[in-house]
Amino acid sequence: MKLGREGDADKVAESFALAQDEIMRMSRLVDNALKMSSLQELGGQHTALDIGGILHTTAEAYRALLEKQSNTLTLRIDENLSPLQGSTDGMVQLFSNLPSNAGAHTQNGEIIVSAGNGNGAVVITVADDGEGIPPGLLPHVLERGVSGSGGSGLGLAIAKEITEAHGGGIAIASEPGTGTTVTLTLPVQREEADHA
């Protein structure tokens, strides 16, 4: 810019903007990679969890962001959810990834977070009425590095690994143009399941 040549300032500004975008992208990739590596530590950090409280707190943290995208957040969380055995950090990460992911693919729509008890497990769904997932991509969206929108492709892979580290399962249903529903099934504390 100090050279004072015509057009140099614009080129430098454009290069700076491109470099900044690339730095932010790399930062997100590194952050997600660190999260993936930290999943190995979940096994030894399990405690009794108030899953309803974690869901409420985490979802509310995303309300302003979702509303900025002209989306509505609806919570349908059973007040008597059975306690889960697990990692608080893992659950917060899990419940952060899903509304964030839903919001990234929904504009002027609704994101519904539901949770209830069922068959010795807590069943949690995050549903949106956004763009949906193409049929060819749907079987692969839980794999690392798979993304249909230029993202890192790690968000749902992290969700899958956290869910499985807690003995649970994850399923995704989607129709292009209609929306996506992610369903988590997380086993309750063993004594709760035995009593049931």
Side-chain angles (χ1 to χ4, degrees):
M1 292 178 78
K2 289 180 180 178
L3 293 175
R5 287 188 234 153
E6 188 175 341
D8 280 352
D10 290 340
K11 287 181 181 179
V12 170
E14 182 181 347
S15 295
F16 177 76
L18 289 172
Q20 189 173 25
D21 287 345
E22 184 63 12
I23 289 166
M24 293 306 295
R25 187 183 73 80
M26 292 302 293
S27 176
R28 288 191 298 271
L29 281 172
V30 170
D31 185 48
N32 282 329
L34 289 171
K35 288 171 184 170
M36 292 292 277
S37 66
S38 71
L39 291 177
Q40 298 172 359
E41 302 172 9
L42 288 179
Q45 300 177 3
H46 287 197
T47 58
L49 302 175
D50 171 14
I51 207 67
I54 295 172
L55 271 170
H56 272 289
T57 302
T58 308
E60 289 297 341
Y62 278 85
R63 186 179 293 277
L65 175 62
L66 296 173
E67 289 177 350
K68 196 172 185 180
Q69 298 162 325
S70 300
N71 292 317
T72 302
L73 174 65
T74 302
L75 301 181
R76 299 176 181 164
I77 300 171
D78 189 331
E79 292 182 7
N80 300 309
L81 287 178
S82 298
L84 298 181
Q85 191 76 15
S87 159
T88 301
D89 290 345
M91 288 294 109
V92 169
Q93 180 63 49
L94 176 60
F95 301 145
S96 296
N97 279 8
L98 298 180
S100 173
N101 194 63
H105 300 282
T106 306
Q107 292 289 331
N108 302 308
E110 183 178 22
I111 294 161
I112 302 171
V113 177
S114 306
N117 296 316
N119 298 322
V122 173
V123 179
I124 299 159
T125 61
V126 178
D128 65 64
D129 54 5
E131 63 191 34
I133 301 169
L137 184 64
L138 187 59
H140 305 288
V141 292
L142 295 173
E143 299 170 12
R144 296 186 196 189
V146 174
S147 173
S149 60
S152 67
L154 291 176
L156 289 174
I158 289 172
K160 177 177 183 284
E161 294 208 12
I162 293 171
T163 302
E164 291 179 349
H166 287 80
I170 183 170
I172 300 181
S174 185
E175 290 286 340
T178 301
T180 301
T181 300
V182 178
T183 303
L184 307 173
T185 305
L186 295 162
V188 300
Q189 288 187 42
R190 194 171 303 278
E191 58 267 22
E192 290 282 337
D194 290 344
H195 178 68

